[in-house]
Amino acid sequence: MKRDFLLAAEGVNKSFDGFKAINDLNFYMDEGELRTIIGPNGAGKSTFLDLITGRTKPDTGTITFGGSTNLTGLNEYQIYRLGIGRKFQTPSVYLDHTVWENVLLGLEGSRGVFDSLFHRTTKAQKERIAEVLETVGLSHKTHDLAGSLAHGQKQWLEIGMLLAQNAKLLLVDEPAAGMTDEETHKTGELLKSLAGKHTIIVIEHDMVFVRQIAEGRKVSVLHQGHILCEGAVDVVQNDEKVIEIYLGRKAREK
């Protein structure tokens, strides 16, 4: 009997002007899993997220979501409606609106900025917003403008907006970039707390952060658009190919 994965990429290829960004990529994720993807710059990490979200289309191969839905034939909005949400490295929040309003705008079924902000909010919506703000640690910032938040808090708010969307699959691109050590640790604890209820892919370079969130979980190493190695973080860090291609390169750059 064929196993159903929440996300399965099989035989995926993508080239840009002759450069093979994704090369015969096979990738599988179980529902509720938190998977960290590491790899050097140009390994194809962001391109892979672009392919999942429909921002770009593969040349060949399939990407299946929920066991049966082929994402390669859908546009970005259709994929978003399936419950796939992406958080880019730079926070994308509504700076001139309050933290509460940002989460309101992210709610599943939101009708757009004007309709969401000027229609009566239901009791269920208010309870959901409060729940999301509690989860991401921003209850005390409810009425503050998003533009006044610290960098880490903006990242948490954007994650909260994805939770409000009720995303089944969260794609999180370098969440620790630009954060203080304290913010980085809090972000790691937040992502770990969401695993199980949500399926999460994290793209990350900070190996201290990777060790925090990947303990007891699988890490995938991407190199030249292909899975080089997968396994526990200790196994990956001690793999000779990974040391040479990724970790070794970082050591030489220091």
Side-chain angles (χ1 to χ4, degrees), residues 20 29 31-32 36 60 62 73 75 98 124 127 132 138 147 153 155 191-192 203 225:
K20 204 150 197 179
M29 272 190 86
E31 186 170 0
T36 307
T60 58
T62 60
N75 61 37
T98 67
E127 289 174 349
V132 166
L138 291 176
Q153 293 171 330
Q155 299 275 32
L191 291 172
K192 288 195 295 183
I203 304 290

Side-chain angles (χ1 to χ4, degrees), residues 94-129:
Y94 298 95
L95 300 177
D96 295 327
H97 291 287
T98 67
V99 168
W100 193 92
E101 288 169 341
N102 269 267
V103 178
L104 171 64
L105 291 168
L107 282 178
E108 186 178 20
S110 180
R111 297 165 293 190
V113 176
F114 183 86
D115 283 346
S116 294
L117 295 180
F118 293 96
H119 276 73
R120 192 178 189 88
T121 309
T122 66
K123 181 183 177 184
Q125 286 177 318
K126 290 176 182 177
E127 289 174 349
R128 179 61 181 147
I129 293 169

Side-chain angles (χ1 to χ4, degrees), residues 7-250:
L7 181 72
E10 297 185 308
V12 175
N13 290 278
K14 180 64 183 180
S15 296
F16 297 99
D17 298 324
F19 172 72
K20 204 150 197 179
I22 298 293
N23 181 21
D24 192 27
L25 177 66
N26 296 292
F27 180 91
Y28 305 92
M29 272 190 86
D30 289 318
E31 186 170 0
E33 187 180 350
L34 168 56
R35 178 79 63 86
T36 307
I37 301 178
I38 65 173
N41 290 332
K45 302 183 298 297
S46 293
T47 300
F48 182 37
L49 298 192
D50 287 345
L51 292 170
I52 294 171
T53 57
R55 201 174 194 195
T56 190
K57 299 293 182 185
D59 299 326
T60 58
T62 60
I63 302 175
T64 307
F65 179 69
S68 59
T69 303
N70 185 1
L71 300 180
T72 56
L74 304 180
N75 61 37
E76 286 184 77
Y77 181 67
Q78 290 170 319
I79 292 171
Y80 170 86
R81 291 295 297 269
L82 285 174
I84 298 177
R86 182 175 183 179
K87 200 207 82 56
F88 289 88
Q89 182 177 338
T90 303
S92 178
V93 297
Y94 298 95
L95 300 177
D96 295 327
H97 291 287
T98 67
V99 168
W100 193 92
E101 288 169 341
N102 269 267
V103 178
L104 171 64
L105 291 168
L107 282 178
E108 186 178 20
S110 180
R111 297 165 293 190
V113 176
F114 183 86
D115 283 346
S116 294
L117 295 180
F118 293 96
H119 276 73
R120 192 178 189 88
T121 309
T122 66
K123 181 183 177 184
Q125 286 177 318
K126 290 176 182 177
E127 289 174 349
R128 179 61 181 147
I129 293 169
E131 180 186 11
V132 166
L133 291 177
E134 179 69 27
T135 299
V136 299
L138 291 176
S139 295
H140 64 300
K141 296 287 185 179
T142 298
H143 303 297
D144 292 6
L145 290 178
S148 72
L149 299 179
H151 174 71
Q153 293 171 330
K154 288 175 184 168
Q155 299 275 32
W156 304 333
L157 176 57
E158 188 168 15
I159 291 172
M161 293 170 72
L162 293 181
L163 298 180
Q165 174 198 324
N166 201 25
K168 298 180 183 73
L169 174 63
L170 305 178
L171 309 175
V172 186
D173 199 350
E174 295 193 41
M179 285 191 178
T180 65
D181 290 344
E182 182 182 2
E183 288 174 335
T184 299
H185 181 75
K186 284 185 177 180
T187 301
E189 294 306 299
L190 171 60
L191 291 172
K192 288 195 295 183
S193 76
L194 297 175
K197 302 174 211 168
H198 303 269
T199 306
I200 308 169
I201 293 178
V202 178
I203 304 290
E204 191 49 73
H205 285 289
D206 183 335
M207 288 308 298
V208 174
F209 182 71
V210 170
R211 290 192 70 87
Q212 178 193 351
I213 65 172
E215 185 178 358
R217 298 180 170 95
K218 186 185 289 185
V219 175
S220 298
V221 184
L222 205 57
H223 177 59
Q224 296 180 347
H226 190 81
I227 296 293
L228 176 73
C229 172
E230 285 186 329
V233 65
D234 285 333
V235 172
V236 165
Q237 282 195 294
N238 290 304
D239 184 279
E240 290 185 6
K241 293 178 292 185
V242 176
I243 292 170
E244 173 57 29
I245 291 170
Y246 179 51
L247 302 173
R249 179 184 300 183
K250 287 178 73 69

